[in-house]
Amino acid sequence: ALLIVYVTSLAEGIPRGQKRQAESRTGRALLAHALNRARPGTPPLCERDIPPLLCFGPKGKPGFQALAWEFSISHSHGLVACGFSARPLGLDVERVRPFSPQLAGRIQAPGEEALAGAHPDSDSRWSQLWTCKESCMKYTGLGMSQEPGEIAFARLGPAPLLAAGGKGLCFRSL
């Protein structure tokens, strides 16, 4: 099955108030690029051509109205990623950031205590745990209507593993 993931970063110097809009445009541009590569011989698309092709699921997950492709776009602090596939997918990108005990407690599921909290590089591990959970929420289409603490991971690292219920799901973390 086809899976393409594009990752880029925004150019330096974009004013803070314009970064989110620039990240969104860049995500659509990456998606247009993926569609152009997957559909040779069709008129090329650009980022402004993407919105009319979209529809939204009951919880807001975007998809294509009439194309048999799936995608997931994520952006955070100048990083932008787009995953494109013939199968459902969820993708998230984050920069490592500090996690307060309150935020860590909100995302942690029972049984995950040893995954990040006592690790010497705990902010990096909490960031990875959050990213894995958000990609899972995007995959299911539930998004933020699902609490991160409802999803439990048994392992982090390059190939994170869900604690239960993830039959057939494959996670990769870079």
Side-chain angles (χ1 to χ4, degrees):
L2 172 72
L3 171 63
I4 300 171
V5 177
Y6 296 104
V7 180
T8 190
S9 60
L10 296 181
E12 296 293 322
I14 296 174
R16 186 179 189 139
Q18 296 175 13
K19 252 191 182 165
R20 223 160 147 70
Q21 184 179 14
E23 289 172 348
S24 293
R25 279 194 324 270
T26 302
R28 289 190 305 269
L30 292 175
L31 181 56
H33 180 74
L35 277 168
N36 290 337
R37 294 213 39 208
R39 300 171 38 225
T42 61
L45 300 169
C46 66
E47 62 94 6
R48 71 177 170 275
D49 298 322
I50 296 299
L53 299 175
L54 301 180
C55 61
F56 296 88
K59 299 289 184 183
K61 182 178 182 176
F64 294 115
Q65 292 179 40
L67 300 173
W69 299 100
E70 300 276 336
F71 69 94
S72 186
I73 296 174
S74 180
H75 48 84
S76 175
H77 298 76
L79 290 175
V80 183
C82 175
F84 181 81
S85 179
R87 294 186 175 169
L89 74 150
L91 174 131
D92 190 46
V93 62
E94 295 284 341
R95 292 195 186 270
V96 173
R97 59 185 169 134
F99 271 75
S100 68
Q102 294 81 11
L103 180 56
R106 182 177 163 253
I107 70 168
Q108 183 176 300
E112 290 182 328
E113 296 81 7
L115 288 181
H119 196 274
D121 191 12
S122 63
D123 286 338
S124 177
R125 301 287 285 203
W126 283 116
S127 294
Q128 183 186 24
L129 184 61
W130 168 256
T131 302
C132 288
K133 288 180 181 223
E134 190 167 342
S135 68
C136 191
M137 293 185 291
K138 287 180 174 185
Y139 171 83
T140 64
L142 296 174
M144 295 309 288
S145 71
Q146 182 176 19
E147 286 295 322
E150 295 174 19
I151 303 165
F153 278 81
R155 178 181 71 213
L156 293 178
L161 180 67
L162 278 171
K167 195 172 192 169
L169 292 183
C170 176
F171 289 85
R172 292 292 177 255
S173 186
L174 306 172

